Amino acid sequence: MTIRNLFATRFSETALADDALLAELGDACRDLAAQDRAGQAWSRAHGYRGYTSYASLDDLPARDPRFGDLVRHLNRHAAKFAEECAFDLARKPKLDSLWVNILKPGGTHSGHIHPHSIISGTLYVEIPPGAGTLKLEDPRLPLMMAAPPRRSDAPDDLQTFVYAQPAPGTIFLWESWLRHEVVAGNARAERISISFNYR
């Protein structure tokens, strides 16, 4: 029997590898959370347990040089990931948006995709022990109809859900159509991350 793996989904895990910048970004995220009244109000109105700048600030790299330094790192990772995905692009992917997330203990982010972009990702700034993982969903799930569950020992490429556990400095990248969520954890401290989209 000949078996081929078809329609692969790429998922990248790498590290920022700049501890000084990571510490500076932690300070920058906290500064925003304390000062961004519109972001605080949006987070409360939408039941976000913590703070996000997602709907309030769209100029972080220009506003704060610490985010500008991060973008230079992310641009390299996004370009390499685009190559791994064999995207036929006339130019390198361009950063479209970047926002801060601070989840309080017990906070989650329900399943979603990132429309109008090609690469999405997250840099994990501070991940306390027990923080929730990133849950990735097989995109065929709505089409599986009467498919049986997968065995627990099935490889990742056959699982219905894959859980990716970040650490401080971890950068995850994926194609923007891939549905994902942040599951609840049992951490006692805030989980700080910076998410972004490339088009």
Side-chain angles (χ1 to χ4, degrees):
M1 178 185 300
T2 300
I3 296 177
R4 297 186 292 164
N5 291 324
L6 302 177
F7 313 119
T9 300
R10 299 285 192 249
F11 180 79
S12 168
E13 180 177 350
T14 187
L16 180 60
D18 187 334
D19 292 340
L21 178 56
L22 196 62
E24 290 176 5
L25 288 167
D27 293 338
C29 292
R30 285 192 182 83
D31 290 347
L32 281 179
Q35 298 169 15
D36 178 15
R37 301 286 182 229
Q40 295 167 6
W42 189 93
S43 298
R44 277 193 305 273
H46 290 83
Y48 189 87
R49 188 175 170 87
Y51 162 80
T52 181
S53 66
Y54 173 75
S56 56
L57 300 171
D58 62 1
D59 63 347
L60 294 186
R63 177 183 293 262
D64 188 321
R66 295 171 288 190
F67 293 107
D69 291 342
L70 171 62
V71 169
R72 285 187 281 282
H73 286 275
L74 296 179
N75 286 343
R76 289 194 301 272
H77 290 295
K80 185 173 181 181
F81 186 67
E83 284 292 321
E84 290 294 324
C85 291
F87 289 155
D88 187 5
L89 303 175
R91 57 184 179 271
K92 291 181 180 177
K94 181 175 175 57
L95 183 73
D96 181 64
S97 53
L98 181 139
W99 63 97
V100 166
N101 311 290
I102 300 180
L103 271 179
K104 291 182 178 178
T108 64
H109 194 167
S110 60
H112 62 284
I113 60 172
H114 293 213
H116 312 298
S117 53
I118 60 170
I119 296 171
S120 297
T122 300
L123 163 69
Y124 297 87
V125 180
E126 294 182 13
I127 302 296
T133 62
L134 182 68
K135 180 181 179 182
L136 305 159
E137 180 181 303
D138 184 336
R140 302 168 300 171
L141 188 59
L143 307 175
M144 288 182 175
M145 300 174 291
R150 304 289 183 168
R151 295 192 317 261
S152 60
D153 65 345
D156 281 352
D157 63 339
L158 290 178
Q159 292 288 355
T160 304
F161 300 102
V162 175
Y163 296 83
Q165 178 64 58
T170 298
I171 300 171
F172 288 153
L173 297 172
W174 58 87
E175 294 177 75
S176 299
W177 51 260
L178 183 61
R179 189 172 170 85
H180 57 284
E181 65 182 282
V182 179
V183 300
N186 58 9
R188 297 184 177 180
E190 293 175 329
R191 176 188 189 274
I192 301 178
S193 62
I194 302 170
S195 296
F196 48 87
N197 290 320
Y198 278 80
R199 57 181 169 81

